[in-house]
Amino acid sequence: MDTLSLLMDGFAAALTPVNLLFALAGVILGTAVGVLPGIGPAMAVALLLPLTFGMETSSALIMFAGIYYGGMYGGSTTSILLNTPGESATVITAIEGHKMAKAGRAAQALATAAIGSFVAGTIGTALLVTVAPIVVKFAVSLGAPSYFAIMVLALVTVTAVLGSSKIRGFAALGLGLAIGLVGMDPVSGQQRLTFGFAPLVDGLDIVVVAVAIFAIGEALWIAAHLRSNPARTIPVGAPWMGKEDWKRSWKPWLRGTAFGFPFGALPAGGAEVPTFLSYVTEKKLSKHPEEFGHGAIEGVAGPEAANNASAAGTLTPMLALGLPTNATAAVMLAFLTMKGIQPGPLLFENEPDLVWALIASLFIGNTLLLLINLPLAPLWAKLLKIPRPYLYAGILFFATLGAFSVNMQVADLWLLLIIGLLGFALRRFGLPVLPLILGVIIGPMAEEQLRKTFQLSAGSVNGLWGEPLAVGIYILIAVLLLLPVLISVIRRARGKDSILTAGLSEGGEITEDEVEQFDAATAAKHKAEGKHGRSAGTERDES
C-alpha cells in the first residue's frame, strides 16, 4: 500500500504541465536519436547534461528517461523501413521487419513493434515498481565489504562480456579507473595524476568526460567513415494490424517481456541477448517457422518487446543499488552525481519524490511513445535524409558549447578534445566504451567502500571477505573469469575423445587414419578461428 501511495504521489508530480512537457520532449528527441544510426540515447543524454544545470532535477531526469525509452522505439522504424538498425538491439528486428516491409507489410511490422514496445515497457515498469523496493531493503542491510564486492562484480562482468576481447575490456576499464582517480585524494589531500596542472586538482568533471567520450568520440568516428549513399525508405501509410496479426503477436510480446526485464537488470545483460533469445524462442514455437527469414511477424513482436522490457530492467539496479548496467544509465547516474545526489540504496529514502516521479513518468512516456509512433513512424524515417556532415558538425558544436558552459574554463575545452580523441581511439582499436565510463563513475564509489572496509577491519585484507555475501560474490567472479577457459578445455577434450571413441566403437582400435582425421580437424578449426579473428578486425576497420 505504501508503494502504491508513493507511486500515486509520483504521478501527481509527473503529470504537472512542466514535467509532461519535458516527458514529451524526451520521447520525441529519443525517437529521433533512435532513428539516426550512430546517435544513441547515451550520446543524446550526455549532450544535454550541461543544459540541465538550471533545471529541476526531476524534470531533467524525466526527460532523460523519455530519451532512453524513445531510443528503444526509434531504432525499430529504420530497421523495418531501411534495414538500418539505429541501435544494436534492433538488429534482430531488421532481419524480419525489413523483409515484411519489402513484402508490402511494413504497416503491420511497424504496428507490432510499437504496440509490443508499449506492452513490454508498461509491464517492465510495473515490475520495476514491485522489485525495486525489495532490492532496496536488501541493499540497505549490506555492509561495506558486500557493497564493494557487488561493485567489483558489476565492473568485471561488464568488462569481461562486452567487446571483442577481455583484454581490451579490462584495458578500457583501467583507463576509466585512472581517469576517476585524477584529482585530490579525499582523505590525505594528496594530488593524484594531476601532473602539476591546476585545473585537474578538483578532478575531471564527469560532464566533460561523458560528452567527450560519447559525443566527440562517436562524431569523430562516424565522420571518419561517412557514407555518401542516400538512404531510401519504403513508403508506408499509418501502421495497423489485422485480426491474424494480433493473434500471432500477443504471445511473443509477453514472452519477449519475460526475457528482456531480467536481462536488463543484470550487469552486461543488455538488450542484445534477450532479443536474440526471444527470436530463437519464437522461431521454435511458431506455427509458421517457414516464414522466419522471410518476414515473420513473431520475429518482430518478440524481439521488440524484449528490447523495451530490458530498458525498464536496467533502471532497477540503477535506482536500487546505484549501479548502471548500460551506457545511458551510466550517464544518468553521472547527472545525479553532478546534482549532488548520492546514488545507491538510500536514494529511495532520501529522494522519494524524485524516484517515484521518475517511475511514474515511465508509464506516461510509454503512452506518449505509442501515440506518437503509430501515426508518425513514416515521418521519422525521413530524418535519415539530413546530410550527415551537417548533423555531426552540429553535434560537435553543441558538445563544445555544453562542455564550456560547465565551468566556463578554456581548460575544459582542451580536456574535451583530449578525451574525445581518446574516445575515437577506443573505437578505432575495438575497445568498448562502457567499461571506461563505468570506471570513471563507479571507481570513486568503489574506492570509498574499500576505504570503509579497511577502516572497519583496522587495515586487514581479511575485511574484504568479512561478510558471507561478499565471499559468495568473489566466488562468482572467479567462476565468471575461469568458466570460458574451462569450457574451452572441456570442448577440446570432448572433440578429441569423440573421434577417438568413434574409432574404438567401430573397430575396437584407433587407426592411423582416425588420428590423422583428428589432427586435420583440429588444424582446420584453428585456421578458421584465426581467419575469423582477422576478418572481424578488418570488418571493424572498414565499418
Side-chain angles (χ1 to χ4, degrees):
M1 189 63 190
D2 284 343
T3 300
L4 188 60
S5 173
L6 289 166
L7 182 61
M8 289 300 108
D9 291 342
F11 270 109
L15 286 172
T16 58
V18 173
N19 284 340
L20 268 178
L21 189 63
F22 280 113
L24 182 64
V27 297
I28 291 175
L29 188 58
T31 307
V33 300
V35 166
L36 295 168
I39 305 177
M43 182 200 282
V45 174
L47 273 174
L48 288 172
L49 279 180
L51 305 179
T52 56
F53 282 127
M55 287 176 59
E56 284 287 331
T57 307
S58 57
S59 300
L61 211 53
I62 285 170
M63 183 173 67
F64 291 160
I67 292 172
Y68 183 36
Y69 266 36
M72 298 295 110
Y73 262 75
S76 63
T77 302
T78 47
S79 298
I80 292 168
L81 298 183
L82 286 160
N83 200 21
T84 307
E87 281 279 308
S88 57
T90 53
V91 170
I92 297 293
T93 305
I95 294 174
E96 297 296 335
H98 189 62
K99 295 282 175 56
M100 286 182 69
K102 289 174 73 175
R105 284 172 51 78
Q108 289 76 12
L110 288 169
T112 194
I115 298 172
S117 298
F118 170 75
V119 171
T122 304
I123 295 175
T125 308
L127 289 172
L128 170 66
V129 172
T130 309
V131 172
I134 299 171
V135 177
V136 167
K137 285 182 182 176
F138 172 71
V140 168
S141 66
L142 299 177
S146 296
Y147 208 63
F148 174 72
I150 290 173
M151 289 181 173
V152 174
L153 174 64
L155 290 174
V156 168
T157 310
V158 171
T159 304
V161 173
L162 293 178
S164 54
S165 78
K166 290 183 177 60
I167 294 175
R168 290 173 176 168
F170 281 110
L173 175 64
L175 286 170
L177 292 174
I179 292 173
L181 283 175
V182 172
M184 190 182 295
D185 187 300
V187 176
S188 66
Q190 288 184 327
Q191 295 184 20
R192 302 184 301 197
L193 301 174
T194 60
F195 306 104
F197 190 46
L200 293 181
V201 173
D202 292 332
L204 288 168
D205 198 297
I206 187 63
V207 176
V208 176
V209 175
V211 171
I213 291 293
F214 287 108
I216 303 291
E218 186 69 26
L220 291 176
W221 173 252
I222 296 292
H225 298 81
L226 275 179
R227 296 284 186 270
S228 57
N229 296 332
R232 294 182 179 178
T233 61
I234 295 175
V236 60
W240 61 276
M241 290 172 65
K243 185 178 177 182
E244 181 66 16
D245 296 324
W246 281 94
K247 186 179 177 183
R248 291 177 60 177
S249 294
W250 72 271
K251 287 181 181 176
W253 291 339
L254 298 180
R255 284 192 287 261
T257 306
F259 278 118
F261 184 81
F263 270 93
L266 291 173
E272 291 81 2
V273 174
T275 52
F276 177 75
L277 289 176
S278 172
Y279 181 73
V280 173
T281 303
E282 296 310 326
K283 190 174 180 180
K284 285 187 177 179
L285 297 178
S286 175
K287 293 179 181 177
H288 310 278
E290 73 283 355
E291 292 185 12
F292 278 78
H294 304 284
I297 195 167
E298 295 94 335
V300 179
E304 271 302 303
N307 177 12
N308 280 268
S310 73
T314 298
L315 296 177
T316 304
M318 190 195 95
L319 293 174
L321 299 172
L323 293 176
T325 57
N326 67 18
T328 310
V331 182
M332 289 170 73
L333 272 191
F335 166 75
L336 290 177
T337 307
M338 183 185 78
K339 285 284 188 178
I341 297 171
Q342 182 66 38
L346 294 178
L347 186 64
F348 272 77
E349 186 177 325
N350 296 336
E351 303 284 347
D353 296 341
L354 175 67
V355 172
W356 288 104
L358 170 65
I359 293 175
S361 76
L362 299 178
F363 289 104
I364 298 167
N366 250 312
T367 308
L368 290 174
L369 279 167
L370 184 66
L371 296 175
I372 290 172
N373 276 272
L374 274 179
L376 299 181
L379 184 65
W380 293 121
K382 293 183 179 177
L383 281 178
L384 288 162
K385 293 183 178 178
I386 298 174
R388 297 295 177 83
Y390 298 162
L391 184 65
Y392 287 98
I395 289 173
L396 288 174
F397 173 75
F398 284 110
T400 307
L401 192 66
F404 183 71
S405 67
V406 175
N407 299 311
M408 297 292 181
Q409 293 179 350
V410 177
D412 282 342
L413 296 181
W414 286 107
L415 291 173
L416 184 77
L417 177 62
I418 294 169
I419 301 174
L421 289 173
L422 175 64
F424 174 77
L426 289 176
R427 291 163 174 81
R428 172 63 183 83
F429 296 105
L431 274 69
V433 174
L434 182 56
L436 183 143
I437 205 71
L438 285 185
V440 176
I441 295 172
I442 297 183
M445 295 164 61
E447 181 188 4
E448 182 186 348
Q449 297 299 328
L450 183 64
R451 285 179 184 274
K452 284 182 182 176
T453 302
F454 282 135
Q455 286 170 354
L456 291 172
S457 63
S460 172
V461 180
N462 293 331
L464 289 173
W465 38 85
E467 295 180 1
L469 181 63
V471 176
I473 292 173
Y474 287 127
I475 293 173
L476 180 60
I477 291 172
V479 170
L480 286 172
L481 291 175
L482 294 176
L483 194 59
V485 179
L486 291 175
I487 290 175
S488 176
V489 171
I490 291 171
R491 279 182 177 172
R492 288 184 181 181
R494 282 185 176 178
K496 186 173 183 177
D497 288 345
S498 62
I499 293 177
L500 297 184
T501 305
L504 284 171
S505 62
E506 289 173 8
E509 294 179 355
I510 302 172
T511 65
E512 291 183 0
D513 290 342
E514 287 165 349
V515 173
E516 289 177 0
Q517 181 188 358
F518 169 73
D519 291 339
T522 305
K525 182 183 176 185
H526 290 168
K527 185 178 179 182
E529 288 175 350
K531 184 179 180 181
H532 176 72
R534 290 192 297 274
S535 300
T538 306
E539 287 171 4
R540 177 67 176 164
D541 293 342
E542 293 176 350
S543 65

